Amino acid sequence: MDAKMVDVPFSCELLRYMRAGPPRSPARSIPLSAPGDWHAYSMREPVGVVGQIIPWNFPLMMAVWKIARPLTAGCTIVLKPAEQTPLSAIRLGELVMRRAFPPGVLNIVTGDGTPGAALACAPRRRTRWPSPARPRSAS
């Protein structure tokens, strides 16, 4: 019942909001406090492949939340749902395929924690947040 009353309506509204495009603010200049004649600006452009790992709670809503912004920015996505709740993401993938998205735009990988670990530790990974501390190898 929660999915029907909360997850589906919220997910639909989020997609409607995001279809207007990437963040509503265009590229803009950023003031710098460094001395000298510097110019910096932000750009809204695809970053390539985005790896997304979603939790088990609110599986449809979390999947939509994770894929909406990258899709509207033109990125491709590898989505790893929680092993306990993969069916919502699989159904979402079926709906995406029906809407004539090009093949490979949304890729869904299911399984235990192994695929998620591979996404999280990919050597070419760039993150927006600092990576968790890794233990040093004993040498």
Side-chain angles (χ1 to χ4, degrees), residues 7-63:
D7 290 13
V8 173
F10 177 81
S11 298
C12 291
E13 284 302 312
L14 182 63
L15 289 172
R16 283 187 194 104
Y17 176 78
M18 293 293 179
R19 81 173 164 205
R24 297 192 194 291
S25 58
R28 61 187 176 89
S29 292
I30 302 169
L32 298 175
S33 61
D37 188 22
W38 298 93
H39 177 76
Y41 59 95
S42 66
M43 294 181 58
R44 307 294 186 198
E45 60 185 21
V47 295
V49 179
V50 176
Q52 302 282 15
I53 302 170
I54 59 172
W56 61 269
N57 55 334
F58 301 101
L60 175 63
M61 188 167 55
M62 290 294 157

Side-chain angles (χ1 to χ4, degrees), residues 45-53 66-80 96 101-108 119 124 126:
E45 60 185 21
V47 295
V49 179
V50 176
Q52 302 282 15
I53 302 170
K66 292 275 192 170
I67 70 170
R69 179 79 63 189
L71 281 179
T72 59
C75 299
T76 57
I77 300 167
V78 177
L79 181 72
K80 164 55 178 93
V96 166
F101 276 68
V105 170
L106 176 61
N107 305 281
I108 299 171
L119 278 176
R124 293 176 44 189
R126 292 182 295 171

